[in-house]
Amino acid sequence: MRHVAVIDYGMGNLRSVSKALETVSESAEIHITSDPKHILDADHIVFPGVGAMRDCVSELRRLGLDDVIREASQTKPFLGICLGMQALLSYSEENNGVTALDIVPGQVRHFDTQRERSGNDFKVPHMGWNEVRQNISHPLWQKIDDASRFYFVHSFYVDPTDAGVIAGTSRYQHEFSAALSQENVFAVQFHPEKSQSAGLQLLKNFLNWDGQS
Amino acid sequence: MGLAKRIIPCLDVDNGRVVKGVQFVDIRDAGDPVEIAKRYDQQGADELTFLDITATHDNRDTIVHVVEAVASQVFIPLTVGGGIRQLADIRRMLNAGADKVGINSAAISNPEFVREAAEKFGSQCIVVAIDAKRVSDQDEADKWEIFTHGGRKPTGIDAVEWAKKMVTYGGGEILLTSMDRDGTKSGFDLALTRAVSQAVNVPVIASGGVGELQDLTDGVKLGEADAVLAASIFHFGEHTVGEAKQQMARQGIEVRL
C-alpha cells in the first residue's frame, strides 16, 4: 500500500485535497499529517496551502516542517499546490517581504493592482478558470489536453530564476508560470482539487508518478 | 485567451434540503443537495453557491453536513452564505470543504468582522454579499442603497461606496444582488452592476433578476460582471448551464466549455 502525506500546517482546508486524492486513488492511503516521521515515511508528498506567506513560513518553522519539506522534496514525488508552490521559491514580496524555502530559486511577485481600468485583467485576485499551456511534456500532463482550464485564486505568482523549470504557463495581465517541474518536484499555482476533471486527472497522474520526469 | 467569465448556480438550503423547486427531469430526489450539485457540475457550472436559509439556530449544523457531502463528490469551488457571523462559523465552513464564505448582514453590523476574517483566512475566501436597491428617481443621478431583511429595511449606506469600503477591509469578491430585480426575471440591474464593477478592483458577481439566457450575457458585456449567478433559470430545467455558456461564447465571451 502506497502512502500519500498531505502536509498539514494549519493553512487552509486540506479536506478537499484529500477527498480529491481519495477519489482518484485506486490503492493509495491518504493521510493529512503534520508529523515529520509520517511525512518522511510517505511515498508521495502533497504540500497544499491557502493564505498568507508570512504565516505559512512561520508555521512551517514552528512545526519543524521546513527542513522536513526540504528533505522530502529531494527524494520523493512531491506536489506543491498554490501557496505550497509559492513557498518553494526563494523569496516572496508578500507581507513586505518573506524569505521562503528556496527549493526552487526565484521570486514570488504581486499582480499589478494599479492597471488601467479599461483592461479586463486588472482585478486582483486572479480568480477563476484560466487556460494552462503545457511548455513541456511531463507525466503529470498525461491525458490532459493542452490549454485545459484550471481553477485559480491568487494575487501572487512565481517567477523562477531558471526558466527551464517552467512546466506550464497562463496569461493574466502577462504570461506567468502556472506549473513548475524540477526533478521529483511538480508544483502548480491552480487548485487541481477544485478543477473538475482536468484537476482530478492531474492528481491521478501524480499518484502514478515515480518522480522521474 | 485568458480568464473565463463564470456561471454560478445558486441553491437555497433549508434544514439540509434544497428548496425553491429544483426540477431536473431525471433526478431521483429533487431536494438532495449532492444530487443537484453533481448535476450542475456535469453541466459545466464553474462554481456553486449555497445560501443557508435555515431559520432556527438549532439546525444550523445541517448546512455543514451539506457542504461536507457535496465537497466529497463535487470538485469545483463552493461558496456558502447565510448566517456567517463569527470567525468560528467561517472556520467550520472551510473545514467542511467550502472555498469561500459570503458575509452579508454581519458586515453591516460590524465591518471589522470582514477585516478580521480576511486577515485570518485570506481575502480569497471572503465574499462580501451586498443587497442593493435603487433609491434615486429617474431624473436623478443613479444611487443605490444597502437594504437588509430581504430588502425591507434601508440602512442609508450607499451601495457603491460600501463595496469600495469592503474591498479595503479585505473582501476578495463582491456578490451584488439587486433587490429591485430579484425574483422578477427582468434581467440584472446593469447600471448597478457596472457602477460597482468599475469602482472596485476585485471580481464582482452579478445576481438578481435573470429570466433568460441573454440576461447572463448582458450581465458580463453591459454590466461588466466577472461572474453571473442565477437560480430559477437553471432549477426549472428551462436551460442548462451548458446552454448558457454556448450562448455567451457565441457573443464573444470567454467561458469554460
Side-chain angles (χ1 to χ4, degrees):
Chain A
M1 178 82 79
R2 282 174 307 134
H3 288 261
V4 181
V6 178
I7 301 177
D8 179 10
Y9 54 107
M11 296 293 285
N13 163 46
L14 307 180
R15 195 169 179 278
S16 296
V17 176
S18 79
K19 284 287 168 195
L21 287 164
E22 281 170 24
T23 299
V24 297
S25 152
E26 277 140 29
S27 59
E29 246 185 64
I30 320 293
H31 301 281
I32 296 175
T33 179
S34 54
D35 181 338
K37 185 173 180 309
H38 278 166
I39 294 168
L40 291 172
D41 284 348
D43 302 295
H44 286 66
I45 311 285
V46 179
F47 179 34
V50 168
M53 182 66 86
R54 170 157 299 149
D55 294 346
C56 163
V57 172
S58 68
E59 276 306 285
L60 289 174
R61 295 216 171 98
R62 190 179 67 80
L63 295 164
L65 292 178
D66 49 338
D67 289 335
V68 172
I69 289 170
R70 273 196 199 89
E71 187 178 337
S73 70
Q74 301 300 315
T75 52
K76 306 166 194 288
F78 185 102
L79 178 64
I81 298 173
C82 195
L83 189 62
M85 173 205 225
Q86 296 178 359
L88 301 178
L89 278 288
S90 315
Y91 178 83
S92 172
E93 287 180 356
E94 195 171 0
N95 307 125
N96 299 318
V98 179
T99 301
L101 298 175
D102 197 24
I103 292 166
V104 179
Q107 309 280 314
V108 182
R109 304 187 192 283
H110 197 273
F111 282 118
D112 187 356
T113 49
Q114 305 301 320
R115 286 169 66 93
E116 280 295 311
R117 290 289 155 110
S118 58
N120 288 324
D121 57 359
F122 76 93
K123 295 191 171 184
V124 177
H126 169 225
M127 185 187 288
W129 298 78
N130 206 335
E131 292 180 341
V132 177
R133 295 272 167 198
Q134 299 170 13
N135 293 41
I136 57 167
S137 97
H138 191 283
L140 267 72
W141 290 138
Q142 267 177 25
K143 297 185 189 168
I144 298 172
D145 289 337
D146 191 22
S148 289
R149 288 187 186 274
F150 290 86
Y151 186 79
F152 290 82
V153 50
H154 61 124
S155 302
F156 293 80
Y157 62 94
V158 300
D159 183 8
T161 307
D162 172 12
V165 301
I166 299 171
T169 56
S170 289
R171 230 189 134 69
Y172 193 70
Q173 298 188 353
H174 47 74
E175 191 170 81
F176 69 92
S177 301
L180 302 178
S181 160
Q182 179 177 283
E183 294 166 2
N184 55 298
V185 174
F186 199 84
V188 291
Q189 181 60 65
F190 51 81
H191 288 272
E193 76 281 11
K194 289 290 170 181
S195 296
Q196 219 213 14
S197 49
L200 293 176
Q201 182 65 49
L202 187 134
L203 292 174
K204 186 171 186 166
N205 292 344
F206 174 68
L207 294 181
N208 291 331
W209 186 36
D210 61 4
Q212 310 289 311
S213 51
Chain B
M1 299 292 271
L3 187 63
K5 300 297 179 184
R6 290 169 279 153
I7 295 185
I8 307 174
C10 179
L11 300 162
D12 286 359
V13 179
D14 186 6
N15 268 317
R17 302 282 293 170
V18 175
V19 294
K20 280 200 188 168
V22 176
Q23 299 173 354
F24 292 119
V25 278
D26 52 347
I27 201 162
R28 287 193 306 278
D29 176 359
D32 177 22
V34 177
E35 276 205 60
I36 295 165
K38 280 163 88 169
R39 184 59 51 94
Y40 284 133
D41 176 42
Q42 285 159 12
Q43 289 184 2
D46 295 307
E47 300 185 21
L48 294 172
T49 290
F50 293 91
L51 187 61
D52 185 22
I53 57 168
T54 307
T56 52
H57 190 76
D58 291 351
N59 294 333
R60 278 281 159 75
D61 279 350
T62 56
I63 189 71
V64 177
H65 302 307
V66 166
V67 174
E68 280 177 357
V70 172
S72 301
Q73 295 189 49
V74 174
F75 298 100
I76 57 175
L78 308 175
T79 301
V80 184
I84 303 289
R85 303 188 179 284
Q86 303 172 26
L87 294 178
D89 297 330
I90 301 176
R91 182 175 296 285
R92 280 199 316 162
M93 294 306 169
L94 298 181
N95 284 344
D99 300 280
K100 311 181 216 178
V101 294
I103 302 176
N104 191 338
S105 47
I108 294 163
S109 52
N110 176 21
E112 285 298 323
F113 176 55
V114 172
R115 199 196 301 273
E116 288 166 20
E119 278 172 9
K120 185 89 187 161
F121 303 104
S123 292
Q124 83 290 334
C125 67
I126 305 301
V127 182
V128 177
I130 296 178
D131 293 342
K133 239 179 174 172
R134 182 183 289 270
V135 291
S136 52
D137 287 329
Q138 286 216 319
D139 53 352
E140 291 176 338
D142 288 336
K143 188 170 165 54
W144 298 268
E145 218 177 280
I146 309 272
F147 278 68
T148 58
H149 298 79
R152 295 191 304 276
K153 200 176 154 195
T155 62
I157 302 169
D158 180 86
V160 176
E161 291 306 313
W162 179 249
K164 285 157 76 173
K165 178 173 170 177
M166 286 295 95
V167 171
T168 65
Y169 277 51
E173 197 170 32
I174 301 287
L175 169 55
L176 178 66
T177 303
S178 162
M179 300 308 285
D180 299 309
R181 299 299 178 91
D182 204 26
T184 65
K185 291 185 166 274
S186 58
F188 295 121
D189 183 336
L190 297 172
L192 167 67
T193 308
R194 193 164 50 240
V196 172
S197 190
Q198 289 180 348
V200 299
N201 63 351
V202 301
V204 172
I205 306 167
S207 160
V210 175
E212 51 182 283
L213 293 183
Q214 186 61 36
D215 294 334
L216 300 170
T217 301
D218 290 347
V220 171
K221 287 202 123 167
L222 305 176
E224 301 180 19
D226 300 278
V228 286
L229 181 137
S232 56
I233 190 175
F234 299 130
H235 292 346
F236 293 103
E238 294 163 44
H239 298 287
T240 64
V241 176
E243 283 166 16
K245 286 188 163 183
Q246 293 288 353
Q247 207 259 10
M248 287 166 85
R250 278 197 296 276
Q251 295 181 63
I253 296 172
E254 196 165 349
V255 291
R256 177 178 71 107
L257 290 170

